[in-house]
Amino acid sequence: MKYKVLGIASVALFAVTVFAEDIKPGLWEMNVQVPGMSAMQQQMASLPPAERKQMEEAMAKQGVKIGDGGMVVKACVTPEMAKRSAVPIQQQGNCTTTTSPRVGNTIKVASVCRTDPPVSVEGEVTFQGNTAYIVKTRTTTGGQTIDSQASGRWLGADCGNIEPMQ
């Protein structure tokens, strides 16, 4: 269960971190739709209270909240990151990420994490101007493949209490 939650959370973190040039700095929100999310919510609910609280707190620190049928992820992009076209990556474990050159409004990204179990993610990000994007990903972990879709939007210049990713 723990690995499944981390694997699905990695989908969200992977997708939200794939920013490119011409985006606005500030707070971004992504809504991730992952098949089987209701089963994951039930599994989270069945965890011992202390373990569930620890998992929820760990995800909240990374701007991740599990909701009905999906996950909401918030990320902060600093003006410096936007200016440098930096790719702020939040990864767990020993991960390697490659990004293809931007073609039109699309970037392809792949990430492999040598964790237990290993996680690999392939994705495509399509930008809709500098305040929105759509992401399609395929994550493989623990012998399972999870396809997900997400949409991201810029919320505003103020990141509030969401810390920029390092």
Side-chain angles (χ1 to χ4, degrees):
M1 164 57 199
K2 183 177 180 182
Y3 296 119
K4 185 172 184 178
V5 171
L6 290 175
I8 291 173
S10 73
V11 171
L13 293 174
F14 170 84
V16 82
T17 61
V18 184
F19 292 112
E21 59 188 290
D22 300 327
I23 64 159
K24 287 185 140 189
L27 186 61
W28 284 77
E29 176 183 83
M30 183 175 56
N31 290 291
V32 182
Q33 300 302 312
V34 180
M37 186 61 76
S38 60
M40 188 179 93
Q41 287 177 295
Q42 290 173 352
Q43 289 175 337
M44 284 279 287
S46 69
L47 290 173
E51 190 175 338
R52 182 177 63 242
K53 182 179 179 188
Q54 181 182 16
M55 183 73 71
E56 289 170 346
E57 287 175 354
M59 290 191 301
K61 285 181 183 177
Q62 297 178 33
V64 178
K65 182 180 178 186
I66 297 174
D68 292 335
M71 191 178 301
V72 176
V73 181
K74 291 186 179 176
C76 181
V77 175
T78 67
E80 294 78 22
M81 289 173 173
K83 195 181 293 184
R84 289 190 326 256
S85 301
V87 179
I89 295 180
Q90 176 78 23
Q91 299 175 354
Q92 297 180 14
N94 182 12
C95 302
T96 304
T97 300
T98 56
T99 305
S100 72
R102 186 171 177 165
V103 176
N105 62 345
T106 301
I107 293 175
K108 292 187 179 188
V109 180
S111 185
V112 176
C113 298
R114 289 169 267 318
T115 54
D116 184 18
V119 176
S120 65
V121 183
E122 293 181 4
E124 183 174 281
V125 182
T126 303
F127 294 92
Q128 301 171 322
N130 63 354
T131 60
Y133 59 91
I134 295 173
V135 180
K136 294 180 182 180
T137 60
R138 173 167 279 179
T139 302
T140 304
T141 182
Q144 295 182 332
T145 298
I146 303 164
D147 290 325
S148 67
Q149 293 187 23
S151 60
R153 66 186 178 110
W154 183 74
L155 297 177
D158 183 6
C159 289
N161 63 350
I162 303 294
E163 294 291 322
M165 293 185 204
Q166 301 301 314

